[in-house]
């Protein structure tokens, strides 16, 4: 008999597991859904099939679920299926959870020792004709782009030597190259990092390894036309702690933040390391090179925001610590020796940054991100951090002008995606899923990107609640042909 899930914020309210696979044809649309929007918005969601074996766990351990909003001629269809990992297959065979703490195989049931425990629940990407579901503690899982059926592990036909492929990749819109990396590439709690490039056809063309100053949760990185940027923040792993049954990650504020920058046409042995006191970040908006300067734009905070990491670290950050971040630009002078760099404020703090694909890796004007605005209402529990975002913002990077939208109802919003327009001069669209807390349902909202402050131009109604995605990406219909 399947038991109940824990009564914690990771597994209750809008965070309650769904465990639903579905295929819904023609969702109800209210408002104006432009017919030019033609393609698919893929999203990955942690959604545990079974309660955690140890009676507690983090939201991020949930089995990978992939969903697709398919847009065509003013209509939207929706599909959602589990990614059939080795881990999920083992749990289903036993009809119970067999895996222990988040990213700690030493706490698993003995029957699954040695089984690939990656849940592939973080980011879907489409490259070289393949739809891949990623999570940074393992290899990619290929999924059929139309049916969402699981095909199997993708390791570039055994050419990829790294044991991991990170959740965030960087696509060059000009030449189709995919830049990616893997941390803990040589195994659990190793300092090894691989830097890889696949060409536009999806063929692996390079893989180089280097070591970081300490084992760090390197969730994202950034690439410009001339440089590659690797962040090392002090959320750290230790093999002895894992073997003792402890947490994979703790926050160590006594360690410095390091930023490694290498020439994109060079090699990892040309890395220039910069450093500053401890800080925390998970996602980068964009980066570009301007002569001798490398600019990196993102939301930075004072401490790691995840409650399960704070608990394992025995820290109790104040509300000021949690709200003390901001969107900044870090500027690195590559012509100077030494480890110092400059920081410039851009906007109020937030996360889930996005830009138009055409602007990646180059100087750009506009970015989008989400934040929690206390003037829009009290915090509502949603997602793995606890308090969900309630505000969508459009930032004009050079002027600092900020346009924002928030609902007048108890709503939290999930990560937005940018959808390009075919109309010259049109900034495109933003789509996101909104959690309707009072109704325990979800809507998909569509905005004109340039006018987010005017509110959604269309609402796509869902007859169910969607658990918070981690990340998603837009793929045009032409790419899917």
């Amino acid at each position: 008999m399947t038991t109940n899930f824990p009564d914690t914020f990771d597994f209750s309210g809008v965070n309650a597991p769904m465990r639903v696979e579905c295929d819904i044809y023609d969702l109800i649309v209210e408002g104006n859904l432009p017919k030019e929007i033609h393609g698919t918005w893929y999203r990955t969601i942690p959604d545990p099939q079974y309660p955690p074996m140890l009676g507690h766990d983090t939201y991020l351990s949930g089995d990978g679920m992939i969903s697709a909003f398919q847009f065509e001629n003013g209509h939207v269809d929706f599909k959602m299926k589990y990614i059939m990992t080795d881990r999920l297959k083992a749990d289903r065979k036993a009809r119970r959870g067999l895996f222990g703490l988040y990213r700690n195989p030493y706490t698993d049931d003995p029957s699954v020792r040695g089984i690939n425990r990656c849940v592939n629940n973080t980011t879907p990407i489409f490259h070289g004709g393949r739809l891949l579901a990623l999570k940074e503690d393992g290899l990619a899982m290929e999924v059929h782009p139309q049916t969402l059926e699981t095909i199997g592990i993708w390791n570039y036909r055994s050419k990829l030597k790294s044991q991991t492929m990170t959740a965030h990749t960087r696509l060059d819109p000009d030449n189709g190259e995919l830049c990616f990396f893997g941390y803990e590439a040589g195994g659990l709690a190793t300092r090894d990092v691989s830097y890889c490039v696949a060409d536009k056809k999806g063929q692996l063309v390079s893989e180089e390894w280097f070591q970081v100053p300490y084992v760090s949760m390197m969730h994202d990185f950034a690439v410009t036309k001339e440089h590659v940027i690797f962040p090392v923040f002090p959320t750290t792993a230790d093999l002895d702690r894992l073997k003792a049954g402890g947490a994979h990650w703790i926050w160590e504020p006594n360690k410095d933040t390091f930023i490694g920058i290498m020439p994109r046409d060079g090699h990892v042995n040309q890395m220039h390391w910069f450093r500053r006191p401890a800080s925390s970040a998970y996602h980068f908006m964009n980066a570009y090179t301007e002569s001798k300067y490398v600019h990196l734009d993102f939301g930075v905070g004072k401490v790691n925001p995840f409650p399960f990491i704070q608990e394992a670290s025995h820290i109790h950050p104040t509300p000021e610590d949690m709200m003390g971040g901001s969107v900044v630009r870090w500027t690195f002078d590559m012509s100077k020796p030494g480890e110092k760099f400059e920081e410039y404020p851009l906007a109020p703090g937030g996360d889930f940054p996005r830009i138009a694909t055409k602007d990646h890796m180059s100087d750009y004007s506009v970015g989008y991100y989400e934040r929690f605005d206390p003037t829009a209402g009290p915090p509502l529990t949603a997602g793995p951090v606890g308090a969900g975002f309630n505000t969508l913002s459009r930032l004009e990077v050079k002027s600092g002008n900020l346009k924002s939208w928030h609902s007048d109802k108890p709503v939290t919003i999930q990560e937005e995606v940018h959808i390009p327009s075919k109309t010259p001069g049109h900034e495109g669209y933003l789509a996101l899923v909104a959690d309707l807390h009072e109704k325990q349902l979800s809507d998909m909202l569509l905005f004109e990107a340039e006018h987010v402050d005017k509110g959604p131009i269309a609402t796509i109604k869902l007859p169910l609640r969607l658990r918070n995605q981690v990340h998603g990406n837009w793929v045009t219909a032409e790419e899917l042909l």
Side-chain angles (χ1 to χ4, degrees):
M1 179 183 297
T2 300
T3 59
N4 289 329
F5 285 84
D7 187 21
T8 64
F9 85 85
D10 289 286
F11 299 96
S12 59
V14 297
N15 281 352
M18 292 181 58
R19 310 200 308 158
V20 171
E21 297 180 292
C22 61
D23 190 342
I24 307 173
Y25 194 72
D26 248 343
L27 295 174
I28 294 171
V29 177
E30 297 177 353
N32 174 36
L33 180 58
K35 292 185 177 181
E36 71 162 328
I37 300 178
H38 190 192
T40 301
W41 177 22
Y42 294 104
R43 309 162 67 251
T44 40
I45 307 163
D47 197 351
Q49 176 82 80
Y50 291 100
M53 181 183 74
L54 300 180
H56 62 92
D57 206 353
T58 172
Y59 188 99
L60 299 176
S61 278
D63 293 299
M65 184 86 82
I66 186 161
S67 65
F69 286 101
Q70 298 167 319
F71 291 71
E72 183 178 9
N73 197 31
H75 297 267
V76 183
D77 304 326
F78 180 75
K79 294 179 185 289
M80 186 161 62
K81 289 188 75 68
Y82 271 113
I83 299 166
M84 294 308 300
T85 62
D86 292 342
R87 173 171 172 157
L88 181 54
K89 290 176 183 177
D91 282 350
R92 283 190 170 184
K93 184 177 180 180
R95 288 186 176 267
R96 67 182 182 92
L98 297 172
F99 295 82
L101 294 179
Y102 181 66
R103 294 176 67 169
N104 187 343
Y106 297 101
T107 61
D108 294 344
D109 187 279
S111 67
V112 293
R113 293 284 166 84
I115 287 181
N116 176 19
R117 68 194 316 274
C118 184
V119 288
N120 297 89
N121 66 9
T122 309
T123 310
I125 64 166
F126 189 81
H127 185 253
R130 287 181 170 84
L131 177 62
L132 304 176
L134 310 178
K135 184 175 175 61
E136 59 212 56
D137 63 339
L139 297 173
M141 187 71 75
E142 186 177 0
V143 177
H144 194 284
Q146 277 77 43
T147 67
L148 304 187
E149 294 288 342
T150 302
I151 295 172
I153 288 176
W154 176 247
N155 61 3
Y156 292 88
R157 296 189 173 91
S158 299
K159 290 183 179 179
L160 184 65
K161 303 308 177 187
S162 174
Q163 296 182 29
T164 62
M165 180 175 178
T166 191
H168 286 280
T169 59
R170 295 289 170 174
L171 178 69
D172 190 321
D174 294 329
N175 63 17
E177 279 189 350
L178 185 75
C179 301
F180 64 94
F181 73 104
Y183 69 87
E184 295 183 84
L188 200 63
T190 62
R191 292 166 51 209
D192 302 315
V193 175
S194 65
Y195 169 56
C196 309
V197 179
D199 66 20
K200 64 181 180 180
K201 295 181 179 179
Q203 305 296 316
L204 188 67
V205 295
S206 69
E207 178 177 3
E208 291 191 272
W209 286 41
F210 64 97
Q211 289 200 321
V212 287
Y214 52 80
V215 187
S216 167
M217 181 189 280
M218 299 171 65
H219 182 67
D220 195 3
F221 81 140
V223 181
T224 78
K225 294 296 184 183
E226 295 87 6
H227 294 93
V228 186
I229 307 163
F230 298 95
V232 181
F233 297 107
T235 296
T236 68
D238 178 78
L239 188 58
D240 289 338
R241 183 172 69 241
L242 290 168
K243 288 181 177 180
H248 192 118
W249 299 117
I250 64 168
W251 169 252
E252 294 195 74
N254 59 314
K255 293 185 183 294
D256 283 345
T257 290
F258 289 83
I259 303 292
I261 303 180
M262 61 172 278
R264 188 167 161 188
D265 62 356
H267 300 282
V268 296
N269 59 7
Q270 298 170 271
M271 195 83 68
H272 182 163
W273 287 102
F274 298 84
R275 70 193 294 174
R276 58 162 281 167
S279 51
S280 180
Y282 277 89
H283 305 111
F284 299 102
M285 181 174 285
N286 193 30
Y288 68 95
T289 300
E290 180 185 27
S291 184
K292 64 181 181 178
Y293 299 108
V294 174
H295 304 294
L296 176 64
D297 298 349
F298 67 109
V300 65
K302 294 182 178 179
V303 298
N304 189 293
F306 286 100
F308 76 100
I309 295 176
Q310 294 173 6
E311 180 181 354
S313 310
H314 307 292
I315 61 171
H316 305 281
T318 65
E320 289 74 21
D321 290 333
M322 295 299 290
M323 296 293 291
S326 57
V327 177
V328 299
R329 169 168 291 177
W330 284 359
T331 295
F332 307 88
D333 186 340
M334 301 303 295
S335 69
K336 286 185 177 180
E339 300 173 320
K340 293 183 179 180
F341 60 92
E342 301 298 324
E343 176 178 296
Y344 305 95
L346 296 178
D351 202 4
F352 289 146
R354 286 278 179 171
I355 62 171
T357 298
K358 65 179 179 60
D359 293 334
H360 284 185
M361 306 180 181
S362 303
D363 192 2
Y364 71 116
S365 299
V366 176
Y368 319 96
Y369 72 108
E370 295 181 4
R371 56 195 178 94
F372 172 72
D373 182 350
T375 67
L380 299 171
T381 298
V385 171
F389 292 113
N390 61 10
T391 302
L392 175 66
S393 293
R394 174 188 181 272
L395 172 64
E396 293 179 2
V397 177
K398 292 176 173 57
S399 69
N401 184 47
L402 198 68
K403 294 181 180 179
S404 297
W405 170 89
H406 62 79
S407 174
D408 57 0
K409 298 176 182 178
V411 165
T412 53
I413 57 177
Q414 303 181 25
E415 181 196 54
E416 78 281 8
V417 69
H418 181 266
I419 302 172
S421 171
K422 297 178 181 178
T423 303
H426 194 288
E427 196 171 292
Y429 307 90
L430 298 175
L432 58 81
V433 169
D435 308 308
L436 314 179
H437 285 245
E438 290 181 342
K439 296 182 178 180
Q440 282 285 300
L441 292 172
S442 296
D443 286 344
M444 192 250 283
L445 307 180
L446 184 74
F447 300 78
E448 282 197 304
E450 189 174 357
H451 306 293
V452 296
D453 54 318
K454 295 182 179 180
I457 60 173
T459 299
I460 294 85
K461 311 294 289 186
L462 284 152
L464 69 164
R465 169 183 53 84
L466 295 185
R467 206 166 191 251
N468 263 52
Q469 72 173 67
V470 184
H471 297 299
N473 278 302
W474 173 258
V475 183
T476 65
E478 291 80 8
E479 291 176 273
L480 291 169
L481 291 176

